[in-house]
Amino acid sequence: MGPTGVPELLDSVHNRGRRRYLAPLPDLPHDAFEPVFRGPEAWLSAHASPPGRLHVYTSFDRGLAWSSVEVPRPPAFQPAPSGPLFFTAQVNLLPGTGVAVFLQFGAECQKSGPCFRPDEVLFVSFDRGATWIGVPPPPAAFSFRDIAYEDAAHWWALGAGSLFKSSDAGQTWQQISSTAPPGRPVLHVFDARRAWAQLSLFMPTNAAGFQTSAVVVTNDGGLSWTRVSPPTL
């Protein structure tokens, strides 16, 4: 944010430790959220209620101008369910190159009827959104949200005590371990051997129990995990 509270483009050169504000950035599209940047390349997630096309936004001048990029309409979208529809297209930058778009879609909740869990699909693009590749669902124990990216092609999925890996951007998976941390960890991958995960654990007591968290790390590609104590602030 600039001095006036308006988002502004920052000069990358610091002048005696002070950042120079060059120009106000244009307003983001009304249905956009969560910008992500990689050098001059930028992407925006989007949410809306169709009938329009499913889309995200991209920029190649650090957000000075945005273009709508169409995301494929999943086969499960046809035929459309009754009632108004919604979609959320969440963009994630793949390490190095490429983007992944996690798409949730379904019927909006109505006061007169039950709400249903939205469908979820994943698409990847390696040519700035000109073409998209559908990613099959991960192994049954996982959802697309369980995936962490080592690089554009090598992905990990950790959960329910199992670790799976893909070397072809999620098209196929191989089980690496069945003795991984339990639950639904939040996984972060550094490289082919090193990763860490945050666990949410339920600790029973005589009265009831309580929820706590733990951090585990691996240095052998996920074959073994060690619990560590984060530094206290």
PDB file of all heavy atoms in Angstrom, residues 195-217:
ATOM      1  N   ALA A 195      11.412 -31.851   3.629  1.00  0.00           N
ATOM      2  CA  ALA A 195      10.074 -31.282   3.732  1.00  0.00           C
ATOM      3  C   ALA A 195       9.708 -31.180   5.208  1.00  0.00           C
ATOM      4  O   ALA A 195      10.339 -31.809   6.065  1.00  0.00           O
ATOM      5  CB  ALA A 195       9.052 -32.143   2.995  1.00  0.00           C
ATOM      6  N   TRP A 196       8.699 -30.376   5.497  1.00  0.00           N
ATOM      7  CA  TRP A 196       8.176 -30.321   6.854  1.00  0.00           C
ATOM      8  C   TRP A 196       6.656 -30.229   6.788  1.00  0.00           C
ATOM      9  O   TRP A 196       6.088 -29.833   5.772  1.00  0.00           O
ATOM     10  CB  TRP A 196       8.767 -29.159   7.656  1.00  0.00           C
ATOM     11  CG  TRP A 196       8.355 -27.774   7.222  1.00  0.00           C
ATOM     12  CD1 TRP A 196       8.906 -27.036   6.213  1.00  0.00           C
ATOM     13  CD2 TRP A 196       7.303 -26.975   7.787  1.00  0.00           C
ATOM     14  NE1 TRP A 196       8.271 -25.826   6.119  1.00  0.00           N
ATOM     15  CE2 TRP A 196       7.295 -25.742   7.079  1.00  0.00           C
ATOM     16  CE3 TRP A 196       6.402 -27.163   8.828  1.00  0.00           C
ATOM     17  CZ2 TRP A 196       6.382 -24.728   7.372  1.00  0.00           C
ATOM     18  CZ3 TRP A 196       5.501 -26.137   9.129  1.00  0.00           C
ATOM     19  CH2 TRP A 196       5.505 -24.945   8.402  1.00  0.00           C
ATOM     20  N   ALA A 197       6.013 -30.618   7.875  1.00  0.00           N
ATOM     21  CA  ALA A 197       4.559 -30.622   7.908  1.00  0.00           C
ATOM     22  C   ALA A 197       4.083 -30.217   9.296  1.00  0.00           C
ATOM     23  O   ALA A 197       4.707 -30.556  10.313  1.00  0.00           O
ATOM     24  CB  ALA A 197       4.009 -32.000   7.549  1.00  0.00           C
ATOM     25  N   GLN A 198       2.986 -29.502   9.325  1.00  0.00           N
ATOM     26  CA  GLN A 198       2.334 -29.138  10.579  1.00  0.00           C
ATOM     27  C   GLN A 198       1.154 -30.070  10.803  1.00  0.00           C
ATOM     28  O   GLN A 198       0.295 -30.222   9.924  1.00  0.00           O
ATOM     29  CB  GLN A 198       1.867 -27.683  10.568  1.00  0.00           C
ATOM     30  CG  GLN A 198       1.193 -27.254  11.863  1.00  0.00           C
ATOM     31  CD  GLN A 198       0.755 -25.805  11.839  1.00  0.00           C
ATOM     32  OE1 GLN A 198       0.986 -25.093  10.876  1.00  0.00           O
ATOM     33  NE2 GLN A 198       0.128 -25.357  12.913  1.00  0.00           N
ATOM     34  N   LEU A 199       1.115 -30.707  11.966  1.00  0.00           N
ATOM     35  CA  LEU A 199       0.068 -31.649  12.307  1.00  0.00           C
ATOM     36  C   LEU A 199      -0.888 -31.017  13.303  1.00  0.00           C
ATOM     37  O   LEU A 199      -0.473 -30.245  14.180  1.00  0.00           O
ATOM     38  CB  LEU A 199       0.648 -32.920  12.927  1.00  0.00           C
ATOM     39  CG  LEU A 199       1.805 -33.612  12.201  1.00  0.00           C
ATOM     40  CD1 LEU A 199       2.250 -34.830  12.996  1.00  0.00           C
ATOM     41  CD2 LEU A 199       1.394 -34.001  10.799  1.00  0.00           C
ATOM     42  N   SER A 200      -2.140 -31.369  13.197  1.00  0.00           N
ATOM     43  CA  SER A 200      -3.131 -31.013  14.196  1.00  0.00           C
ATOM     44  C   SER A 200      -3.527 -32.294  14.917  1.00  0.00           C
ATOM     45  O   SER A 200      -4.030 -33.244  14.299  1.00  0.00           O
ATOM     46  CB  SER A 200      -4.356 -30.362  13.541  1.00  0.00           C
ATOM     47  OG  SER A 200      -5.321 -30.014  14.504  1.00  0.00           O
ATOM     48  N   LEU A 201      -3.260 -32.358  16.224  1.00  0.00           N
ATOM     49  CA  LEU A 201      -3.423 -33.591  16.990  1.00  0.00           C
ATOM     50  C   LEU A 201      -4.447 -33.398  18.094  1.00  0.00           C
ATOM     51  O   LEU A 201      -4.523 -32.328  18.717  1.00  0.00           O
ATOM     52  CB  LEU A 201      -2.091 -34.022  17.614  1.00  0.00           C
ATOM     53  CG  LEU A 201      -0.912 -34.202  16.651  1.00  0.00           C
ATOM     54  CD1 LEU A 201       0.361 -34.475  17.446  1.00  0.00           C
ATOM     55  CD2 LEU A 201      -1.195 -35.332  15.678  1.00  0.00           C
ATOM     56  N   PHE A 202      -5.232 -34.460  18.353  1.00  0.00           N
ATOM     57  CA  PHE A 202      -6.160 -34.462  19.481  1.00  0.00           C
ATOM     58  C   PHE A 202      -5.532 -35.258  20.609  1.00  0.00           C
ATOM     59  O   PHE A 202      -5.180 -36.425  20.441  1.00  0.00           O
ATOM     60  CB  PHE A 202      -7.507 -35.073  19.088  1.00  0.00           C
ATOM     61  CG  PHE A 202      -8.504 -35.102  20.208  1.00  0.00           C
ATOM     62  CD1 PHE A 202      -9.182 -33.947  20.567  1.00  0.00           C
ATOM     63  CD2 PHE A 202      -8.752 -36.277  20.914  1.00  0.00           C
ATOM     64  CE1 PHE A 202     -10.107 -33.966  21.608  1.00  0.00           C
ATOM     65  CE2 PHE A 202      -9.668 -36.299  21.947  1.00  0.00           C
ATOM     66  CZ  PHE A 202     -10.349 -35.131  22.291  1.00  0.00           C
ATOM     67  N   MET A 203      -5.367 -34.621  21.758  1.00  0.00           N
ATOM     68  CA  MET A 203      -4.743 -35.253  22.908  1.00  0.00           C
ATOM     69  C   MET A 203      -5.812 -35.573  23.945  1.00  0.00           C
ATOM     70  O   MET A 203      -6.396 -34.672  24.561  1.00  0.00           O
ATOM     71  CB  MET A 203      -3.680 -34.327  23.509  1.00  0.00           C
ATOM     72  CG  MET A 203      -2.637 -33.850  22.515  1.00  0.00           C
ATOM     73  SD  MET A 203      -1.643 -35.205  21.841  1.00  0.00           S
ATOM     74  CE  MET A 203      -0.699 -35.631  23.303  1.00  0.00           C
ATOM     75  N   PRO A 204      -6.144 -36.861  24.143  1.00  0.00           N
ATOM     76  CA  PRO A 204      -7.197 -37.199  25.108  1.00  0.00           C
ATOM     77  C   PRO A 204      -6.728 -36.993  26.540  1.00  0.00           C
ATOM     78  O   PRO A 204      -5.556 -37.141  26.864  1.00  0.00           O
ATOM     79  CB  PRO A 204      -7.450 -38.684  24.819  1.00  0.00           C
ATOM     80  CG  PRO A 204      -6.176 -39.185  24.225  1.00  0.00           C
ATOM     81  CD  PRO A 204      -5.581 -38.037  23.470  1.00  0.00           C
ATOM     82  N   THR A 205      -7.673 -36.637  27.406  1.00  0.00           N
ATOM     83  CA  THR A 205      -7.430 -36.524  28.845  1.00  0.00           C
ATOM     84  C   THR A 205      -8.547 -37.251  29.573  1.00  0.00           C
ATOM     85  O   THR A 205      -9.501 -37.746  28.956  1.00  0.00           O
ATOM     86  CB  THR A 205      -7.387 -35.052  29.289  1.00  0.00           C
ATOM     87  OG1 THR A 205      -8.688 -34.469  29.076  1.00  0.00           O
ATOM     88  CG2 THR A 205      -6.344 -34.271  28.510  1.00  0.00           C
ATOM     89  N   ASN A 206      -8.448 -37.303  30.886  1.00  0.00           N
ATOM     90  CA  ASN A 206      -9.489 -37.979  31.668  1.00  0.00           C
ATOM     91  C   ASN A 206     -10.835 -37.298  31.491  1.00  0.00           C
ATOM     92  O   ASN A 206     -11.883 -37.955  31.462  1.00  0.00           O
ATOM     93  CB  ASN A 206      -9.101 -38.008  33.148  1.00  0.00           C
ATOM     94  CG  ASN A 206      -7.906 -38.912  33.400  1.00  0.00           C
ATOM     95  OD1 ASN A 206      -7.660 -39.844  32.631  1.00  0.00           O
ATOM     96  ND2 ASN A 206      -7.158 -38.644  34.464  1.00  0.00           N
ATOM     97  N   ALA A 207     -10.807 -35.965  31.397  1.00  0.00           N
ATOM     98  CA  ALA A 207     -12.066 -35.229  31.273  1.00  0.00           C
ATOM     99  C   ALA A 207     -12.607 -35.281  29.843  1.00  0.00           C
ATOM    100  O   ALA A 207     -13.731 -35.678  29.614  1.00  0.00           O
ATOM    101  CB  ALA A 207     -11.862 -33.781  31.712  1.00  0.00           C
ATOM    102  N   ALA A 208     -11.786 -34.891  28.899  1.00  0.00           N
ATOM    103  CA  ALA A 208     -12.234 -34.877  27.499  1.00  0.00           C
ATOM    104  C   ALA A 208     -11.027 -34.958  26.590  1.00  0.00           C
ATOM    105  O   ALA A 208     -10.652 -36.026  26.105  1.00  0.00           O
ATOM    106  CB  ALA A 208     -13.068 -33.624  27.212  1.00  0.00           C
ATOM    107  N   GLY A 209     -10.376 -33.839  26.374  1.00  0.00           N
ATOM    108  CA  GLY A 209      -9.224 -33.793  25.492  1.00  0.00           C
ATOM    109  C   GLY A 209      -9.024 -32.386  24.985  1.00  0.00           C
ATOM    110  O   GLY A 209      -9.815 -31.480  25.264  1.00  0.00           O
ATOM    111  N   PHE A 210      -7.964 -32.203  24.241  1.00  0.00           N
ATOM    112  CA  PHE A 210      -7.698 -30.882  23.692  1.00  0.00           C
ATOM    113  C   PHE A 210      -6.942 -31.037  22.382  1.00  0.00           C
ATOM    114  O   PHE A 210      -6.316 -32.066  22.116  1.00  0.00           O
ATOM    115  CB  PHE A 210      -6.895 -30.013  24.671  1.00  0.00           C
ATOM    116  CG  PHE A 210      -5.527 -30.557  25.003  1.00  0.00           C
ATOM    117  CD1 PHE A 210      -4.398 -30.144  24.306  1.00  0.00           C
ATOM    118  CD2 PHE A 210      -5.376 -31.498  26.012  1.00  0.00           C
ATOM    119  CE1 PHE A 210      -3.148 -30.656  24.608  1.00  0.00           C
ATOM    120  CE2 PHE A 210      -4.116 -32.007  26.325  1.00  0.00           C
ATOM    121  CZ  PHE A 210      -3.003 -31.592  25.626  1.00  0.00           C
ATOM    122  N   GLN A 211      -7.035 -29.997  21.566  1.00  0.00           N
ATOM    123  CA  GLN A 211      -6.391 -29.978  20.267  1.00  0.00           C
ATOM    124  C   GLN A 211      -5.044 -29.286  20.388  1.00  0.00           C
ATOM    125  O   GLN A 211      -4.920 -28.241  21.032  1.00  0.00           O
ATOM    126  CB  GLN A 211      -7.259 -29.234  19.249  1.00  0.00           C
ATOM    127  CG  GLN A 211      -6.982 -29.582  17.803  1.00  0.00           C
ATOM    128  CD  GLN A 211      -7.586 -30.929  17.409  1.00  0.00           C
ATOM    129  OE1 GLN A 211      -8.452 -31.446  18.094  1.00  0.00           O
ATOM    130  NE2 GLN A 211      -7.128 -31.478  16.301  1.00  0.00           N
ATOM    131  N   THR A 212      -4.020 -29.867  19.796  1.00  0.00           N
ATOM    132  CA  THR A 212      -2.703 -29.266  19.796  1.00  0.00           C
ATOM    133  C   THR A 212      -2.080 -29.447  18.427  1.00  0.00           C
ATOM    134  O   THR A 212      -2.665 -30.108  17.555  1.00  0.00           O
ATOM    135  CB  THR A 212      -1.802 -29.891  20.885  1.00  0.00           C
ATOM    136  OG1 THR A 212      -0.563 -29.173  20.942  1.00  0.00           O
ATOM    137  CG2 THR A 212      -1.514 -31.359  20.575  1.00  0.00           C
ATOM    138  N   SER A 213      -0.920 -28.888  18.213  1.00  0.00           N
ATOM    139  CA  SER A 213      -0.250 -29.009  16.928  1.00  0.00           C
ATOM    140  C   SER A 213       1.182 -29.453  17.142  1.00  0.00           C
ATOM    141  O   SER A 213       1.740 -29.319  18.240  1.00  0.00           O
ATOM    142  CB  SER A 213      -0.292 -27.687  16.155  1.00  0.00           C
ATOM    143  OG  SER A 213       0.379 -26.673  16.870  1.00  0.00           O
ATOM    144  N   ALA A 214       1.771 -29.982  16.089  1.00  0.00           N
ATOM    145  CA  ALA A 214       3.156 -30.442  16.132  1.00  0.00           C
ATOM    146  C   ALA A 214       3.768 -30.231  14.761  1.00  0.00           C
ATOM    147  O   ALA A 214       3.061 -30.133  13.747  1.00  0.00           O
ATOM    148  CB  ALA A 214       3.232 -31.912  16.532  1.00  0.00           C
ATOM    149  N   VAL A 215       5.098 -30.160  14.727  1.00  0.00           N
ATOM    150  CA  VAL A 215       5.835 -29.999  13.483  1.00  0.00           C
ATOM    151  C   VAL A 215       6.745 -31.207  13.304  1.00  0.00           C
ATOM    152  O   VAL A 215       7.448 -31.604  14.242  1.00  0.00           O
ATOM    153  CB  VAL A 215       6.658 -28.704  13.479  1.00  0.00           C
ATOM    154  CG1 VAL A 215       7.534 -28.618  12.237  1.00  0.00           C
ATOM    155  CG2 VAL A 215       5.735 -27.485  13.560  1.00  0.00           C
ATOM    156  N   VAL A 216       6.712 -31.801  12.118  1.00  0.00           N
ATOM    157  CA  VAL A 216       7.580 -32.926  11.799  1.00  0.00           C
ATOM    158  C   VAL A 216       8.381 -32.594  10.551  1.00  0.00           C
ATOM    159  O   VAL A 216       7.930 -31.820   9.698  1.00  0.00           O
ATOM    160  CB  VAL A 216       6.782 -34.229  11.591  1.00  0.00           C
ATOM    161  CG1 VAL A 216       6.118 -34.676  12.886  1.00  0.00           C
ATOM    162  CG2 VAL A 216       5.743 -34.059  10.487  1.00  0.00           C
ATOM    163  N   VAL A 217       9.578 -33.156  10.441  1.00  0.00           N
ATOM    164  CA  VAL A 217      10.443 -32.907   9.297  1.00  0.00           C
ATOM    165  C   VAL A 217      10.946 -34.231   8.753  1.00  0.00           C
ATOM    166  O   VAL A 217      10.995 -35.242   9.452  1.00  0.00           O
ATOM    167  CB  VAL A 217      11.644 -32.011   9.672  1.00  0.00           C
ATOM    168  CG1 VAL A 217      11.163 -30.671  10.187  1.00  0.00           C
ATOM    169  CG2 VAL A 217      12.537 -32.695  10.694  1.00  0.00           C
TER     170      VAL A 217
END
